[in-house]
Amino acid sequence: MNTTNERSLDTVAAQALRRLAEDGALRTIDLAFARLLRERLRADEATALAGALAMRAIALGHSGFALAQADALLDALDARADLPDAEAWALALAASPVATVDPEAPDGALLCVRDGRVALRRYARYEQRLAAQLRARAANIDIDIDIERSDEDAARDALDRLFSKTPLPTTTSPTTSSSAPSTPHEDIDRQALAAAMALRRRLLLLTGGPGTGKTTTVARLLATRIAVAHASGDASPRIALAAPTGRAAVRLADAIDAVVRADLEGGRLDADVAGAIPRSAQTLHRLLGWRPDSVAFRHSAARTLPFDLIVVDEASMVDLPLMAKLVDAVAPRATLVLIGDPDQLPAVEAGDVLGALCAAGGDGRTLPPADAAFASRALGVARAALEAPHAHDDAPLFGCRVHLLHGWRQAGAAGLRALTEAVQRGDDEAALALLEREDDPALRRRHGDGAALAAWLRETALPAFAAVRDAEDPASALRAAERMRLLTAVRRGPFGAEVWNAWCANELGAREANFHGRLIAIAENSPRHGLYNGDVGVLWRDDRNGGLAAWFLSDGRWRGWRPGQLPAHASAFATTVHKAQGSEFDAVALLLPGADSRALSRELLYTALTRARRQAWLWADPTAVRRALARRTQRDSGLLARLRAPPSASETRPARTPASETPPAT
């Protein structure tokens, strides 16, 4: 590139950076990072602009951005600027001393540029390490288990006992949780298939829509592993249950406990096996050993987790840094089971990790030949019904995913189930037709001015919140809170959770910030309290002294704190759809902002509807519904490309495990 072109490129980049700063599209930290690159590290203007945008992309949920699609990043920021030519920009970055192709290279680069994509080096390192570890884990197949050996009859017996006698609901027919056409693979007991594959694979992606029996499958998967160990004279495997939030962890533990109790009563499970299944779960931060003074955890590759099998629910909520640190801390011979629904909203923070893993794992309906042969013997089904008809060269984790197809959560609400499926496939005509029906009490769509919205909420949501306030005790109040939740797409603004939480408080007669019957949700992890982000509690007045206490179900027991003792928290009558992930309610009332809101997406609508068991009421303009169904949540991520790429040179070197990791200096 000649000097004139370099000057032209730098001029365009400098003008773009200045324009984005003036418009408020870049934050203080983004501009400070650009200044660091330019002034302290002598980077050119094109590199400084790329660094600022890479930093800004993280806050939007991306792990980086593609130079050729940088305009899309500006669109998400409602910003306008003339950006450098992508080719010239890439050449300038390739020549920059602060950019590298290999995030593990021993140099001082702060940016990683690969295949026309720019990322902060730290996030590129997360992706590269995670991809390398997952490929290695996918290739680590347990060849010690041989279903044909007589001493492995316990595996077949356990699978047959736990799954063959499982009663199916009789109130309705099962529904397929995918819009794909029916195939012979749907006739396989896919829950049993997942349990069988967990005997063989060190990585299992268990996916499916709402109510497809993912936690039921996990409970019986654990029972199968324990039964096989006992039959071989081995000790029970050490098992950990975890989820991204405290609320999701409680739900996982409660669901597994319910399945174990039912299987004991039904004779499908022996007491010694049941006794070895854990009935409590914890947040991922607590599992890994959260430290308040560091972004690193106590457990890592240098000090792996002391478990043989680790189950993580709500994997769609796990962001890139946390997933990388989790996989890093799982011992090579341990089994990692990730549970999730790939159609839900991805994590708020950077990366759509579960989406990339599912794409790398294939559709979850078929298996490679060796796995199909193993499952055929274990389940007593024809191998042809399990084996993939062709190779999956673009799916490096093929064989690690089992997708459940039949949903039961909304089995008693046919209209709600049909609406969820229409949203899942993006069929706006079918969705709106269902919402306009007046003969189905499970579904309603309304729209109007602010007064009409308030009147609608007094009819739909407020009675449930009054029932919380008027309950007999805190436990009854929190059970009542499970009946209804007001969901919003955004936190602030006229359709935001903050506004409608304040409205609920006023309608319930509150005269101060803390009041009897106030639902609250913890907003930050606090191991000292045993409370974690997403935990829901209630403020309750003690009749004896008139004081308020905040009551939570923590580690299986009720605990109360004075409100002033709590970590950061907020009212929880209304909550964003993101915050509601991992929860379910009898009914939800969903407020959608105007059709021009960028918060609207198909994944948001799907996630909101799948929180409901029986009823879903929408406050939305038809145009907003159409806009939501037409927009997919897109996350710019390099993880799938790294999973599909040949191993890099750095993967053959031992991974460095620093004592702590810090963000780029600003």
Side-chain angles (χ1 to χ4, degrees), residues 210 409-410 416 420 487 583-588 607-616:
R409 176 182 297 176
Q410 299 170 340
L416 177 56
T420 300
L487 302 182
S583 300
E584 60 181 84
F585 313 97
D586 289 344
V588 299
T607 302
L609 292 173
T610 54
R611 300 311 91 205
R613 301 184 191 98
R614 298 185 179 90
Q615 295 175 306

Side-chain angles (χ1 to χ4, degrees), residues 557-582:
R557 61 191 181 95
W558 289 99
R559 298 182 63 189
W561 287 269
R562 290 191 301 274
Q565 295 177 306
L566 294 175
H569 57 280
S571 291
F573 300 107
T575 185
T576 62
V577 176
H578 268 290
K579 286 286 188 182
Q581 286 185 262

Side-chain angles (χ1 to χ4, degrees), residues 214-524:
K214 295 187 289 293
T215 49
T216 297
T217 302
V218 166
R220 292 172 178 166
L221 176 157
L222 299 178
T224 303
R225 279 286 297 262
I226 294 166
V228 169
H230 288 185
S232 302
D234 297 329
S236 300
R238 298 165 298 171
I239 299 169
L241 306 177
T245 68
R247 185 59 188 149
V250 170
R251 291 195 61 81
L252 173 63
D254 288 349
I256 286 179
D257 181 65
V259 175
V260 172
R261 290 176 183 273
D263 284 347
L264 268 172
E265 293 175 4
R268 292 182 290 274
L269 198 58
D270 293 333
D272 61 333
V273 173
I277 298 176
R279 313 294 180 87
S280 63
Q282 56 192 310
T283 65
L284 284 172
H285 285 77
R286 189 171 184 179
L287 173 72
L288 291 171
W290 178 77
R291 297 189 295 184
D293 58 342
S294 174
V295 296
F297 293 102
R298 283 195 296 272
H299 290 286
S300 65
R303 184 184 180 188
T304 57
L305 290 161
F307 299 104
D308 304 302
L309 196 157
I310 298 169
V311 174
V312 178
D313 198 11
E314 297 293 347
S316 64
M317 299 169 64
V318 184
D319 60 40
L320 172 63
L322 187 55
M323 185 67 81
K325 293 171 185 179
L326 167 67
V327 175
D328 193 47
V330 178
R333 294 292 294 169
T335 298
L336 176 62
V337 178
L338 300 176
I339 314 169
D341 182 350
D343 290 321
Q344 282 193 34
L345 283 165
V348 176
E349 305 300 333
D352 178 10
V353 179
L354 183 64
L357 267 55
C358 287
D363 62 9
R365 301 189 183 204
T366 57
L367 297 170
D371 293 281
F374 172 87
S376 171
R377 298 192 300 270
L379 303 177
V381 299
R383 175 173 169 174
L386 296 164
E387 189 170 338
H390 53 80
H392 284 63
D393 296 331
D394 62 341
L397 304 184
F398 184 49
C400 295
R401 182 184 179 192
V402 176
H403 188 67
L404 305 182
L405 299 168
H406 300 310
W408 302 100
R409 176 182 297 176
Q410 299 170 340
L416 177 56
R417 186 179 67 240
L419 176 61
T420 300
E421 292 173 352
V423 167
Q424 188 180 33
R425 63 180 183 267
D427 189 341
D428 57 349
E429 295 297 336
L432 286 167
L434 288 162
L435 287 168
E436 299 307 319
R437 289 177 53 180
E438 295 293 336
D439 60 342
D440 189 347
L443 300 177
R444 285 287 187 273
R445 187 195 65 79
R446 294 289 185 268
H447 193 250
D449 59 17
L453 172 54
W456 180 74
L457 288 176
R458 287 189 189 99
E459 175 190 352
T460 56
L462 202 60
F465 301 145
V468 172
R469 177 197 61 194
D470 299 337
E472 293 182 358
D473 52 48
S476 300
L478 286 177
R479 283 195 294 271
E482 296 293 308
R483 297 172 192 153
M484 160 63 71
R485 194 58 49 90
L486 177 56
L487 302 182
T488 66
V490 293
R491 189 157 60 94
R492 297 188 177 92
F495 296 96
E498 291 180 354
V499 167
W500 292 101
N501 269 315
W503 180 87
C504 287
N506 184 65
E507 291 288 319
L508 292 171
R511 296 294 176 265
E512 51 192 13
N514 288 326
F515 58 92
H516 175 83
R518 180 192 178 199
L519 282 178
I520 57 175
I522 298 299
E524 63 181 24

